[in-house]
Amino acid sequence: MREQLTETLGEVLWTDLRAHVARDAVILVASDLDLVDVGVAVASNDAAAVQAWISAGKLTKPTAEELARWPLQVDLRFVSLVVAPFVLVRRPPSPPPS
């Protein structure tokens, strides 16, 4: 399973995620977690690991503020991993202060 998931790991533009956000399927993964490890846990229904990450704030849904800001950032990219029906994404770095 890990090998299959690793093959689907890739970079996507924000525009590629809009349909998945609309169906509430995008999950943000904290930068200190490995996307493939999270994907394996989700795919294998490891509820204990997934719940621990949710409780620790390491797996979240995009906030309203993020959803309003992301379309304004030209060429905004995410690292993503599809674990149907979800799309796991690495949160983009915060823009530098102006």
Side-chain angles (χ1 to χ4, degrees), residues 15-31:
T15 53
D16 298 324
L17 293 174
R18 286 187 289 190
H20 302 292
V21 167
R23 63 182 183 84
D24 197 30
V26 171
I27 299 173
L28 295 168
V29 178
S31 61

Side-chain angles (χ1 to χ4, degrees), residues 63-74 76 91-95:
T63 65
E65 178 184 315
E66 288 167 325
L67 294 175
R69 184 178 66 238
W70 290 343
L72 304 175
Q73 297 176 20
V74 178
L76 177 61
R91 185 186 305 269
S94 298

Side-chain angles (χ1 to χ4, degrees), residues 28-59:
L28 295 168
V29 178
S31 61
D32 62 334
L33 294 179
D34 181 273
L35 275 173
V36 176
D37 289 344
V38 174
V40 168
V42 170
S44 63
N45 293 317
D46 185 346
V50 172
Q51 187 56 52
W53 291 324
I54 291 170
S55 295
K58 295 183 180 285
L59 295 182

Side-chain angles (χ1 to χ4, degrees), residues 8-12 17 35 78-82 87-90:
T8 68
L9 187 67
E11 195 172 89
V12 297
L17 293 174
L35 275 173
F78 295 79
V79 176
S80 74
L81 179 65
V82 175
V87 179
L88 307 175
V89 298
R90 171 84 60 224

